[in-house]
Amino acid sequence: MIFSRKRAGGARHARDERTTEVLDSYDAEESTPAAPSRGPYDVSEAPDMPRLDLGSLQIPAVPEVEVRVQADPQGVIQQVVLVHGENALQLGVFAAPRSEGIWDEVREEIRQSLINDGAAARDVEGEYGTELHARVRTPDGPTDLRFVGIDGPRWMVRGVYQGAAATDPTAAGPLAICLDGLVVDRGHEAKPVREPLPLRLPREMAEQATQENPAPGQREA
């Protein structure tokens, strides 16, 4: 099942670089660290704004961005893709260890997999750090992909850009705004490293999807 929905409203967050301030023990007691000026945010530090709640991932409402969700009959989501014009951004969110990020290791594994399949892949420094740019063969011809990874507190967000945004980050436009405004709700339970965090349709969307695509036993004869 593919559920598509256009989101409206929302505002662009400042795209400043994150800064980390080292405080001594006295300052730590007297000061509260400022929330980052851009996301993806952990749920504990996210600014308030309209978002589509998919469980572990909350997607900001940005005008003209279509949210395409592929889910099973139980409402469990297998894929989330944001679309704006001819550009697309596929999103995934995964568990990570408390002590370190995993994007560097994951990126290298993606690179090796692409190279083994005959694709060209290279590291490029981007606004979130090191990205992976690749060109893959498809039935429609060569396709460019841009892999972006953001490590957070015990989670990692992976985004894959397609379209002009795969080679020109400035073309991402509203999709970049969505990435900057993402919120991750990791939860507190222990999870294996790299396990996808659970994503589910909101109840009203799941009910609508069930009505539009009833199970075989529920269909009228």
Side-chain angles (χ1 to χ4, degrees):
M1 171 192 74
I2 297 291
F3 185 96
S4 298
R5 183 177 182 180
K6 287 190 177 180
R7 308 296 299 167
R12 185 181 184 114
H13 290 294
R15 299 176 62 79
D16 300 329
E17 293 294 329
R18 290 176 182 264
T19 59
T20 302
E21 184 177 13
V22 179
L23 302 174
D24 60 25
S25 58
Y26 174 82
D27 289 335
E29 293 176 358
E30 297 296 325
S31 304
T32 300
S37 59
R38 62 182 291 192
Y41 301 96
D42 189 74
V43 68
S44 64
E45 60 187 11
D48 187 30
M49 67 177 295
R51 293 184 175 89
L52 175 63
D53 189 347
L54 300 180
S56 295
L57 201 60
Q58 300 172 23
I59 300 173
V62 175
E64 301 305 316
V65 172
E66 183 180 0
V67 182
R68 297 182 181 178
V69 177
Q70 182 177 350
D72 65 17
Q74 287 71 46
V76 178
I77 295 173
Q78 278 85 43
Q79 188 177 76
V80 179
V81 180
L82 310 185
V83 178
H84 179 261
E86 297 182 355
N87 290 318
L89 173 61
Q90 181 179 348
L91 295 172
V93 60
F94 306 88
R98 186 186 302 274
S99 58
E100 60 184 357
I102 61 174
W103 171 235
D104 287 346
E105 184 177 346
V106 169
R107 188 181 69 254
E108 182 59 30
E109 292 180 359
I110 295 172
R111 183 218 313 280
Q112 290 302 322
S113 177
L114 290 167
I115 292 174
N116 291 342
D117 289 338
R122 61 191 177 94
D123 283 347
V124 176
E125 289 304 309
E127 59 182 340
Y128 279 108
T130 307
E131 304 175 349
L132 182 65
H133 292 202
R135 173 164 288 187
V136 300
R137 294 192 296 267
T138 72
D140 297 326
T143 298
D144 291 306
L145 303 174
R146 177 162 63 98
F147 295 82
V148 178
I150 303 99
D151 288 308
R154 301 178 66 207
W155 51 259
M156 183 199 76
V157 168
R158 185 192 65 205
V160 186
Y161 281 104
Q162 300 179 53
T167 55
D168 179 9
T170 63
L175 296 181
I177 298 174
C178 288
L179 185 60
D180 280 352
L182 284 181
V183 172
V184 178
D185 188 349
R186 163 67 172 75
H188 301 290
E189 65 276 14
K191 292 183 179 296
V193 173
R194 303 194 193 186
E195 178 178 291
L197 298 182
L199 299 172
R200 296 192 63 87
L201 291 173
R203 185 175 62 181
E204 64 275 14
M205 292 172 63
E207 291 173 352
Q208 178 182 342
T210 300
Q211 293 171 1
E212 295 176 353
N213 301 278
Q218 297 175 325
R219 293 174 181 167
E220 295 182 0

